[in-house]
Amino acid sequence: MNCRIFSILSLSTLLAASASAAVQVLFDFTQPGATNNMAAHDVAVTCRPDSGGLWVTTRHHEPWPGITLPAPGGIWNLAQASAVAVELTNAADREVTVYCRVDNAGADGVKHCLTESLRMLPGHGGTLRVFLRRDDGDTRGGKLFGMRGYPPGPNPSGDFDPARVTQLIVFVNRPTRDHTFALRQIRAVGGRAETAGPILDDAHFFPFIDSLGQYRHRDWPGKTAAPADLATARKAEATALTSHPGLTNWDQYGGAQNGPTLAATGFFRTQKVGTKWWLVDPEGHLFFSQGIDCVRMLDYTPVVERTNWFADYPGVAPEFREFCDSGFALLGHYQGQTVAAFSFAGANLKRKYGSDWRQVTATVFQQRLRSWGFNTIGNWSDFDVARLRRTPYTDTIGAGGVAMLQGSEGYWGKFPDVFAPGFAAALERDMAGKKERSANDPWCLGYFSDNEMSWGDDTSLALATLRSPADQPAKQVFVADLRAKYGAIARLNSAWGVTNVSWEALLATTNPPDAGAARADLTAFYTKTAETYFRTVRDAIRTVAPHQLYLGCRFAAVNDLAAQAAAKYCDVVSYNLYQRSVADFQFPGGDKPLLIGEFHFGALDRGLFHPGLVPVANQAERARAYQDYVLGALRHPQFVGAHWFQWQDEPVTGRVYDGENYQIGFVDVADTPYPEMIAASRVVAAELYRSLSKK
């Protein structure tokens, strides 16, 4: 199949065309003898072939109660499989997370093994997949750097060989109560995705990136052979988009035109209809936000120290100088540096669409969105595309330049000091800049604030405050609250088990108390911090854009107190949920509409070296996972949308900011769409409003 040409194929056709190798059953617990040679550790095991297979009740006396399943004959050769799949059911009345470890000889829980987990609610089941990531990655003795995933080479850096699997261990991690789950079958599934072609020595490997930004040393369906092919692809796609303009039962915003008509306010809002939360579009139609992030956001890859990586490097040509820039690296090889970088994605758009590529692609991409079944332009997208006002979009605000909480820490950086005098002012300045852009625009659903902040556990921000210096505004507020509560420092000392000589000494020390002894005060201040954050952001939005939604802060890791604070002040609470399904998601903040700001799936069968945060075997499985995820969100009573991250694959050689080089796009670096993903998004779009009827 030529993936550069859009064909109106059904998803089932595409999945069948990409069918994987035959399934290999490793254990079938519905059959006699499946448990021969099994070892049990702090568990009770019952064989029930007619009612779920093998029932395992884990105790909680040992750290990792579970069962060990040796390979018959000593070794399984799973070199042609993509994953080990374990069919599970939670047979207890409490949530459980079950782990599966796939071992080579000498496995110790860290080396020579792979481990994945599956969280299950009471009475629910699922398939736990352990993806057999192979030891292909090779930095070639440090000649390759600044990437999350690496191509195969003569000196692989991994320590796991799927051809020599010795055993499987299914277990629960450090339980505090008993759990019961059932195993039905364990299989090796999927065909091996050849990741990157032949193994070459350095003399033949460099340069390994072609002039389009693609890996040179292998081919795959849809790879663009030469720059001249881009024009041909453009013409073919134009014909296909014309023949498939999108669904006719959507209104102009992408809402359910044939569904019930509710009160129309001229802006997006939320409403619960029956047991299900929905967005309601400006015309009063129910709206589920199927969105995509980073529409026409051009990723850049570093070029510093990499002169021998690129064949026919286009950055030296005058017509591509506009795609030469510099960027700051927060993480990775270039951490803390601002380095020269180039956007192959941008250069390819100019090659494909001409010198007026910005104007042309804004229109083409809007046409794609409707044709593919998307009704929302998500976060991090190019506003010049959104401002055409053909697809609803989201915007974001943040308190740039505000003082940070010095005692805090996190993957993306420190937490802002929400009690600093400049916090509210910074948000107000940012929102003031939206007045001529998104504020009071009916096409703008609303605003996210910040992204994946370091919320930690339910005492973390309070402890971080106490670790901060005396002039930290948050610390001054916290100490003032404590002084108002306890009066005398001796009473605080008694409650916390500390020996501060005065309130000034407490302010000066950066040694926090024991979290257990001080828990009540720590959680109270944590809640105050979280509520101050969400209330201040909400007020800044309301002042400038009173009719638009506050969409939350896109939680990644979060605790119940922060989620409850968000529920109190946000119109919609947003999460970035990188997992296989959200169908059973439980929100600790009560009955509130929820939105998924990011999710994705990626594979290693299209010339990139890292599959992203949720790996799958190939493009067919990626499409299937997309469909299952979004339809699971649609069926959930609280989710009002799900936004895929991101529009385009990340650079093969890693983006500047942190070296990510994930295969997670709906299009590749040469702007070639993935037909499997397009088919999946169209299937989902056709299902969004199928159950609705005109009332």
Side-chain angles (χ1 to χ4, degrees):
M1 179 185 296
N2 184 343
C3 293
R4 290 190 296 272
I5 299 176
F6 269 15
S7 55
I8 311 174
L9 295 176
S10 70
L11 178 60
S12 59
T13 301
L14 285 162
L15 298 182
S18 318
S20 301
V23 169
Q24 177 183 353
V25 177
L26 305 182
F27 291 99
D28 186 348
F29 298 108
T30 66
Q31 302 299 319
T35 59
N36 292 346
N37 301 320
M38 178 186 73
H41 310 281
D42 196 26
V43 299
V45 178
T46 306
C47 295
R48 303 181 188 175
D50 298 330
S51 58
L54 185 70
W55 288 59
V56 179
T57 298
T58 64
R59 309 305 186 196
H60 54 278
H61 307 298
E62 297 183 9
W64 302 287
I67 58 173
T68 299
L69 300 164
I75 290 177
W76 284 298
N77 183 349
L78 305 184
Q80 298 306 314
S82 63
V84 170
V86 185
E87 291 185 21
L88 293 164
T89 301
N90 182 3
D93 60 358
R94 62 184 64 94
E95 179 183 312
V96 65
T97 298
V98 178
Y99 293 76
C100 179
R101 198 178 94 187
V102 182
D103 285 359
N104 285 164
D108 61 4
V110 177
K111 297 179 180 178
H112 310 297
C113 59
L114 301 171
T115 306
E116 298 288 353
S117 64
L118 178 69
R119 168 181 167 269
M120 296 181 291
L121 296 176
H124 287 68
T127 301
L128 191 170
R129 289 178 174 84
V130 184
F131 287 92
L132 303 176
R133 295 179 291 273
R134 295 165 177 83
D135 54 356
D136 290 337
D138 185 2
T139 64
R140 294 182 176 262
K143 297 183 181 71
L144 299 180
F145 47 83
M147 298 183 279
R148 295 293 181 90
Y150 292 88
N155 302 295
S157 56
D159 64 1
F160 178 82
D161 182 357
R164 303 188 63 80
V165 174
T166 59
Q167 64 182 16
L168 309 176
I169 303 176
V170 181
F171 65 97
V172 175
N173 183 36
R174 300 183 183 278
T176 58
R177 304 174 68 182
D178 292 356
H179 295 280
T180 299
F181 57 87
L183 291 89
R184 181 175 179 82
Q185 197 176 71
I186 302 178
R187 310 179 307 278
V189 298
R192 174 172 180 164
E194 294 297 336
T195 58
I199 305 298
L200 303 172
D201 60 27
D202 288 356
H204 296 90
F205 179 79
F206 292 98
F208 66 100
I209 301 297
D210 68 17
S211 65
L212 293 164
Q214 303 169 122
Y215 186 56
R216 293 180 64 211
H217 299 311
R218 69 164 296 195
D219 290 322
W220 56 85
K223 184 178 183 181
T224 302
D229 293 341
L230 293 171
T232 303
R234 176 185 175 183
K235 292 178 182 178
E237 183 182 1
T239 300
L241 289 176
T242 299
S243 66
H244 200 297
L247 294 169
T248 58
N249 62 341
W250 285 11
D251 66 20
Q252 63 172 332
Y253 295 101
Q257 185 166 266
N258 297 331
T261 299
L262 308 178
T265 64
F267 292 91
F268 281 91
R269 62 182 182 87
T270 62
Q271 183 170 330
K272 190 173 185 180
V273 179
T275 60
K276 169 72 176 171
W277 279 100
W278 292 88
L279 293 168
V280 179
D281 74 19
E283 295 182 356
H285 295 139
L286 297 182
F287 182 98
F288 185 90
S289 180
Q290 183 172 213
I292 189 163
D293 296 327
C294 306
V295 176
R296 209 180 71 176
M297 183 199 72
L298 303 182
D299 269 329
Y300 285 74
T301 191
V303 295
V304 176
E305 308 172 57
R306 295 175 164 186
T307 55
N308 66 330
W309 289 24
F310 309 110
D312 302 318
Y313 174 57
V316 298
E319 63 267 30
F320 298 126
R321 292 288 174 83
E322 63 180 295
F323 306 108
C324 296
D325 205 339
S326 61
F328 176 75
L330 179 70
L331 302 169
H333 176 80
Y334 300 99
Q335 184 173 5
Q337 301 177 53
T338 298
V339 297
F342 184 75
S343 176
F344 284 94
N348 291 336
L349 292 180
K350 188 171 185 178
R351 285 168 166 147
K352 186 172 183 177
Y353 298 101
S355 59
D356 57 347
W357 65 272
R358 290 187 180 276
Q359 293 74 30
V360 175
T361 57
T363 299
V364 171
F365 291 1
Q366 288 278 8
Q367 191 178 7
R368 280 179 175 177
L369 289 164
R370 191 70 171 203
S371 174
W372 297 353
F374 287 102
N375 59 12
T376 308
I377 297 173
N379 220 34
W380 321 120
S381 296
D382 187 336
F383 185 69
D384 285 341
V385 178
R387 75 192 313 162
L388 294 182
R389 294 174 173 83
R390 300 181 187 177
T391 305
Y393 63 93
T394 65
D395 204 347
T396 187
I397 70 166
V402 73
M404 307 304 284
L405 192 59
Q406 290 305 303
S408 65
E409 56 186 20
Y411 185 82
W412 297 118
K414 296 181 184 297
F415 198 89
D417 187 341
V418 301
F419 300 101
F423 180 68
L427 290 166
E428 291 162 4
R429 283 194 303 272
D430 201 14
M431 273 307 300
K434 311 292 183 182
K435 289 181 179 179
E436 304 302 322
R437 291 167 59 91
S438 56
N440 302 307
D441 179 4
W443 289 87
C444 178
L445 276 77
Y447 297 88
F448 296 110
S449 61
D450 299 296
N451 182 63
E452 296 187 350
M453 303 170 75
S454 304
W455 290 101
D457 64 28
D458 58 7
T459 62
S460 61
L461 295 180
L463 290 169
T465 300
L466 294 174
R467 285 194 296 267
S468 297
D471 61 353
Q472 185 86 52
K475 190 170 188 178
Q476 294 172 356
V477 171
F478 193 7
V479 172
D481 287 352
L482 294 170
R483 191 168 189 169
K485 175 181 178 179
Y486 288 101
I489 191 67
R491 293 180 62 198
L492 175 85
N493 288 342
S494 176
W496 285 14
V498 293
T499 57
N500 297 297
V501 298
S502 65
W503 291 109
E504 291 73 22
L506 175 60
L507 193 62
T509 185
T510 56
N511 296 319
D514 176 74
R519 178 170 179 77
D521 293 318
L522 296 173
T523 55
F525 189 73
Y526 188 104
T527 294
K528 182 172 183 174
T529 300
E531 291 191 354
T532 300
Y533 172 83
F534 289 111
R535 183 180 62 252
T536 307
V537 176
R538 183 209 55 188
D539 291 349
I541 294 171
R542 290 285 187 270
T543 299
V544 177
H547 306 295
Q548 286 162 287
L549 299 172
Y550 177 22
L551 303 174
C553 66
R554 302 159 62 88
F555 286 130
V558 67
N559 63 80
D560 289 358
L561 293 185
Q564 290 160 7
K568 186 173 181 178
Y569 292 101
C570 300
D571 299 301
V572 179
V573 178
S574 53
Y575 282 82
N576 295 350
L577 293 175
Y578 287 98
Q579 54 197 51
R580 291 296 297 236
S581 174
V582 294
D584 296 326
F585 182 82
Q586 291 186 317
F587 178 57
D591 189 18
K592 192 79 177 181
L594 309 174
L595 175 67
I596 297 161
E598 294 180 16
F599 74 103
H600 69 220
F601 308 98
L604 296 176
D605 60 345
R606 290 300 184 267
L608 280 89
F609 312 136
H610 198 297
L613 298 179
V614 187
V616 294
N618 50 45
Q619 298 307 305
E621 188 169 341
R622 201 159 75 105
R624 186 182 299 110
Y626 177 89
Q627 179 177 329
D628 291 346
Y629 188 103
V630 182
L631 291 180
L634 176 65
R635 290 189 293 268
H636 193 285
Q638 291 179 266
F639 283 113
V640 297
H643 297 175
W644 173 272
F645 185 89
Q646 61 180 21
W647 177 262
Q648 190 164 48
D649 287 337
E650 292 176 327
V652 179
T653 49
R655 66 183 186 183
V656 174
Y657 194 60
D658 56 5
E660 284 186 9
N661 57 342
Y662 300 164
Q663 193 278 307
I664 52 174
F666 262 67
V667 302
D668 67 15
V669 69
D671 191 52
T672 302
Y674 289 103
E676 299 91 343
M677 298 301 293
I678 308 315
S681 63
R682 286 173 173 166
V683 167
V684 171
E687 292 294 324
L688 293 185
Y689 310 129
R690 190 180 297 278
S691 64
L692 302 176
S693 60
K694 192 77 174 179
K695 295 181 180 179

